[in-house]
Amino acid sequence: MNIIVCIKQVPETTEVRINPETNTLMREGVKSIINPFDMYAIEEAIRLKERFGGKVTVVTMGPPQAESALREAISMGADEGYLVGDRAFAGSDTWATSYTLAGAIKKINQINVANNSLADSGKGHGIDLILCGKQASDGDTAQVGPGISTHLNIPQVTYVKKIEEVKEGMMRLERMLEEGYEIIETSLPALLTVVKEINEPRIPSLKGLMRAKSAKITALTQKELNLDPQQIGLCGSPTQVVKIFTPKPRAGGQILKGEIPDITKQLVDLIKDEVN
Amino acid sequence: MDYLLSDEQKMIKELAHKIAEEKIRPAAAKYDISEEYPWEVLKVMAESDMFGLFIPEEYGGCATSVFNLCLATEEFSRACGGIAVCYAASALGTFPIVLFGNDEQKKKYLPDLAKGKKVAAFAITEPEAGSDASGIKTVAKKEGNHYVLNGLKHFITNGGDAETYVVIAMTDKTKGARGASAFIVEKGTPGFTFGKKEDKFGIRASSTRELVFTDCKIPAENLLAKEGMGFIVTMRTFDMSRPGVAAQALGIAQGALELAVKYVHQRVQFGKAISSFQGIQWMLADMATEVEAARGLVYSTARMVDAGVKDVSKESAMAKMYASDVAMKVTVDALQLFGGYGYMKDYPIEKYVRDAKITQIYEGTNQVQRGIIALKLIKEMAK
């Protein structure tokens, strides 16, 4: 099974500070980690590889320092890493990011086929599965995973809490709902986003860390990907951040006391006041 | 202090730190209460190749390095001295095979120990043979292609849970210390059973148990080195393992110091954090300096062992004795800084005091260590 895992490097603190002038994240002085939800995606990919064989490729889009996130994933057991980065991609919103990552995944597939390291399965991608965390802990949009599947025109299943069964070209999954879960069957290749209930990510091994230290990370820039300039970076991003602010805490409610007819009257009066 | 660790050493330290914080610390209190053997945690250490740190690469390890073993043991002990000793005791049981095993013995036992599939134990202590190893009563009698073991070992760390035991027994009582030999004994060998499991003051996650040998027949090829080399095997093993005990003590002291610094910074009395009081500050300064001095001794000794310096018995004794005395003092002071809360089991600090105490006792009491150091000084002077 050939699996791509899309990961994102995020600031470690949950208290992300926002630059009030540019409305962007202030990353200076904050340690970077792999988005915690992506750790479950990496772990699940490695477990599938251990069961069925194949290859796990990690991909991230970000600045050069995001390379350390790829190396960490390799130390856990992923086979190779691709760093998608270019000044032309700067300022991407979730639309442009998912478009770019979809382009990168197509490119990785071409590279794999060219290297003969993977036979093209004839399904257009040669890749059986793409895994993402359910969302990033900094942006919290949960849009990039589904966006990638849309750009690649493959099925998506979000909030996967368990892979129940894997068969030739098909998977049966448990998808988490607010109360309970639903069972979904999907054809492969597909894109899944996973929730933390799916597994417990492993601690890397020493040998894995040593391998990761010297592993080759392949850079993919706009030159290699040759994407539509209108759909990448800031100008390919329909989202415009007008303002970022912390919502005011909701004012406390009011508890009405007394006998039921009294309360009813008070309530009606309050509604009347509000309407007027 | 910067000990100028190599990239590989930093990697080992960071990985051990991660295991300690994510897997050991959250489980420490549970195992302290239940006295269960912490298999779950050891499995994580095993999957992270930590058991390979004391085994050569050709037998599935990551090269034997006492320094690396000390780095890992120190980090584990910061979080729990009991879980850490299960790990370190496996190193103690493995060293005799690494040092004296022939190729066949190494091939047979080391790969599983390197992967942590099995843990090891070293058995010399008997009810009447503690510091005085010449009192050993367990005998091994050669009969054809076998040795037959009879006797009792006690206070054996990892006893019952280990699969691979190195046992010291007398093959010729008339020769005294030169009549002892070392044997590899596998769990499950007929005639090899386990006796009383001890209920301990500290390091309660680790198992300490009696080994009972009743006409226990083991193949002659399980003899390590040669007949009569039992004490040499033991001494060389302790030279390798003593820095590890020192590292355990160091880790316990470091862990207690960290908890104390954090606590006094949070604890408010008289309207201020108690860390702002000079009386508290002086205690912290002394504790931190002593821990750092212990670290200097431990790391230097471990590096000497790895460099192959022939006689490290004085330095090993100094490191073990000093680091464990520091651990005792620092943990008691740390508890003092926690005040009444420190005395309560709801807080983690009292466990550090209990875990520290054993490091002054086992692998040679600190009185014995002082004897070794003094004898060495006198010998050096007489040269």
Side-chain angles (χ1 to χ4, degrees):
Chain A
M1 181 169 282
N2 298 303
I3 307 166
I4 296 240
V5 187
C6 298
I7 66 174
K8 184 182 186 185
Q9 196 174 47
V10 296
E12 181 166 31
T13 171
T14 44
E15 311 244 327
V16 180
R17 289 172 305 151
I18 307 287
N19 181 330
E21 283 169 23
T22 58
N23 282 332
T24 52
L25 300 174
M26 289 168 71
R27 293 178 187 275
E28 294 74 27
V30 183
K31 199 183 154 206
S32 293
I33 56 165
I34 295 179
N35 170 38
F37 293 112
D38 298 345
M39 294 294 277
Y40 303 101
I42 297 167
E43 176 65 31
E44 199 60 24
I46 297 166
R47 288 185 188 191
L48 287 167
K49 182 183 85 166
E50 284 166 352
R51 277 171 65 196
F52 303 106
K55 185 159 103 168
V56 175
T57 304
V58 273
V59 185
T60 192
M61 178 167 148
Q65 58 265 32
E67 190 185 307
S68 64
L70 295 171
R71 290 197 190 279
E72 191 181 338
I74 292 170
S75 77
M76 290 169 70
D79 296 281
E80 55 182 17
Y82 285 87
L83 177 61
V84 183
D86 198 308
R87 283 191 173 276
F89 303 151
S92 293
D93 68 356
T94 56
W95 172 270
T97 300
S98 53
Y99 170 76
T100 309
L101 281 169
I105 290 168
K106 285 182 197 162
K107 180 74 192 174
I108 292 165
N109 188 50
Q110 281 173 17
I111 294 171
N112 284 341
V113 171
N115 290 346
N116 254 341
S117 61
L118 270 181
D120 194 314
S121 66
K123 296 187 188 88
H125 303 286
I127 287 155
D128 300 296
L129 191 66
I130 300 169
L131 289 172
C132 303
K134 70 160 179 162
Q135 66 198 53
S137 64
D138 53 356
D140 278 329
T141 66
Q143 290 170 352
V144 171
I148 294 169
S149 76
T150 306
H151 285 297
L152 291 174
N153 197 24
I154 58 171
Q156 56 169 285
V157 183
T158 52
Y159 306 112
V160 172
K161 72 186 265 282
K162 191 178 177 187
I163 296 176
E164 276 196 351
E165 199 188 344
V166 182
K167 281 200 288 203
E168 185 60 36
M170 167 269 176
M171 245 179 197
R172 190 160 71 225
L173 310 155
E174 286 179 13
R175 177 176 188 263
M176 187 121 121
L177 301 174
E178 270 184 35
E179 293 172 34
Y181 62 90
E182 61 185 355
I183 294 175
I184 289 187
E185 278 191 10
T186 176
S187 60
L188 297 180
L191 182 141
L192 318 181
T193 76
V194 300
V195 293
K196 71 175 182 354
E197 284 75 9
I198 196 166
N199 59 42
E200 191 185 335
R202 71 192 63 192
I203 287 178
S205 69
L206 198 55
K207 285 174 186 165
L209 284 168
M210 300 211 181
R211 190 179 63 238
K213 210 177 136 195
S214 55
K216 184 172 173 267
I217 303 291
T218 310
L220 292 178
T221 63
Q222 168 63 356
K223 196 174 144 230
E224 284 86 24
L225 299 183
N226 195 21
L227 299 167
D228 177 357
Q230 295 309 307
Q231 295 213 56
I232 59 171
L234 203 55
C235 75
S237 297
T239 314
Q240 282 181 22
V241 181
V242 180
K243 188 183 172 191
I244 291 182
F245 63 96
T246 311
K248 277 187 193 149
R250 243 192 282 184
Q254 190 182 347
I255 295 171
L256 305 177
K257 284 179 181 162
E259 296 295 316
I260 290 183
D262 285 346
I263 297 176
T264 315
K265 188 175 176 300
Q266 285 180 53
L267 185 62
V268 171
D269 289 346
L270 281 169
I271 293 170
K272 275 186 184 163
D273 287 351
E274 197 66 32
V275 171
N276 296 334
Chain B
M1 196 166 288
D2 191 340
Y3 291 95
L4 309 172
L5 301 185
S6 69
D7 284 352
E8 186 189 285
Q9 289 161 346
K10 279 183 198 154
M11 201 185 266
I12 291 166
K13 195 175 159 70
E14 280 165 24
L15 181 55
H17 184 87
K18 193 174 166 73
I19 295 170
E21 292 306 318
E22 290 179 20
K23 304 290 174 185
I24 300 179
R25 197 182 294 281
K30 179 181 104 176
Y31 289 111
D32 182 51
I33 293 165
S34 70
E35 289 195 278
E36 272 173 84
Y37 196 75
W39 282 117
E40 242 175 72
V41 182
L42 295 196
K43 192 169 165 260
V44 176
M45 294 177 185
E47 285 166 354
S48 304
D49 301 324
M50 289 290 131
F51 285 89
L53 293 181
F54 43 84
I55 292 174
E57 277 173 290
E58 62 262 46
Y59 302 104
C62 312
T64 310
S65 160
V66 169
F67 189 77
N68 290 347
L69 172 66
C70 284
L71 288 175
T73 306
E74 179 189 348
E75 286 301 325
F76 296 158
S77 303
R78 274 178 59 254
C80 176
I83 294 173
V85 79
C86 299
Y87 167 78
S90 193
L92 173 67
T94 305
F95 280 142
I97 305 175
V98 171
L99 291 171
F100 293 95
N102 57 36
D103 192 48
E104 263 167 48
Q105 290 168 332
K106 286 179 178 172
K107 270 188 193 146
K108 185 170 176 193
Y109 295 102
L110 294 183
D112 280 352
L113 293 169
K115 289 197 177 63
K117 281 187 188 165
K118 293 177 176 173
V119 297
F122 185 69
I124 180 164
T125 305
E126 296 184 5
E128 288 171 58
S131 298
D132 179 10
S134 65
I136 289 179
K137 289 202 168 68
T138 299
V139 291
K141 202 175 156 203
K142 188 149 191 199
E143 285 180 6
N145 280 335
H146 292 87
Y147 283 94
V148 179
L149 267 63
N150 275 291
L152 179 80
K153 295 285 171 186
H154 84 163
F155 295 170
I156 305 307
T157 307
N158 281 351
D161 294 297
E163 291 282 335
T164 309
Y165 295 80
V166 172
V167 179
I168 306 297
M170 303 304 290
T171 38
D172 188 347
K173 278 192 157 179
T174 61
K175 287 189 183 161
R178 291 207 174 93
S181 303
F183 299 93
I184 304 170
V185 186
E186 290 175 55
K187 185 178 178 177
T189 308
F192 174 24
T193 54
F194 301 104
K196 185 185 168 214
K197 188 179 169 192
E198 305 294 341
D199 180 7
K200 301 191 296 293
F201 179 60
I203 56 163
R204 290 167 59 85
S206 73
S207 48
T208 307
R209 212 162 164 184
E210 276 180 350
L211 314 184
V212 185
F213 300 98
T214 318
D215 293 329
C216 172
K217 225 171 129 181
I218 56 165
E221 66 254 30
N222 284 18
L223 172 71
L224 265 176
K226 290 181 188 145
E227 270 193 30
M229 281 184 67
F231 279 114
I232 296 170
V233 170
T234 305
M235 290 307 129
R236 290 282 313 278
T237 297
F238 281 157
D239 281 347
M240 298 279 278
S241 65
R242 220 160 253 149
V245 177
Q248 186 201 354
L250 170 64
I252 293 171
Q254 175 69 33
L257 172 65
E258 286 169 20
L259 288 175
V261 174
K262 201 170 151 200
Y263 181 80
V264 297
H265 195 60
Q266 287 166 351
R267 173 71 174 167
V268 174
Q269 289 288 275
F270 308 103
K272 291 184 218 170
I274 62 171
S275 59
S276 62
F277 301 124
Q278 203 176 42
I280 304 284
Q281 291 174 350
W282 287 17
M283 282 176 77
L284 291 177
D286 285 346
M287 289 158 74
T289 307
E290 284 157 359
V291 170
E292 208 58 72
R295 185 172 287 117
L297 257 180
V298 175
Y299 285 10
S300 303
T301 308
R303 281 175 164 152
M304 278 176 79
V305 175
D306 285 342
V309 174
K310 259 225 143 92
D311 187 358
V312 293
S313 57
K314 185 177 76 180
E315 290 77 10
S316 270
M318 284 177 167
K320 190 269 179 187
M321 177 267 278
Y322 187 74
S324 57
D325 282 353
V326 164
M328 203 62 237
K329 176 172 180 292
V330 166
T331 53
V332 167
D333 284 348
L335 190 152
Q336 185 70 20
L337 290 170
F338 270 72
Y341 291 108
Y343 201 67
M344 304 304 155
K345 291 215 170 195
D346 290 343
Y347 283 75
I349 203 73
E350 57 85 30
K351 177 178 174 295
Y352 282 78
V353 178
R354 291 187 283 112
D355 288 350
K357 186 62 209 173
I358 191 62
T359 61
Q360 293 182 305
I361 299 170
Y362 62 15
E363 279 200 50
T365 64
N366 281 5
Q367 287 66 38
V368 166
Q369 306 301 340
R370 286 181 169 86
I372 294 170
I373 297 163
L375 269 178
K376 201 78 196 173
L377 287 176
I378 294 163
K379 263 194 199 166
E380 282 169 2
M381 186 199 63
K383 259 184 199 169

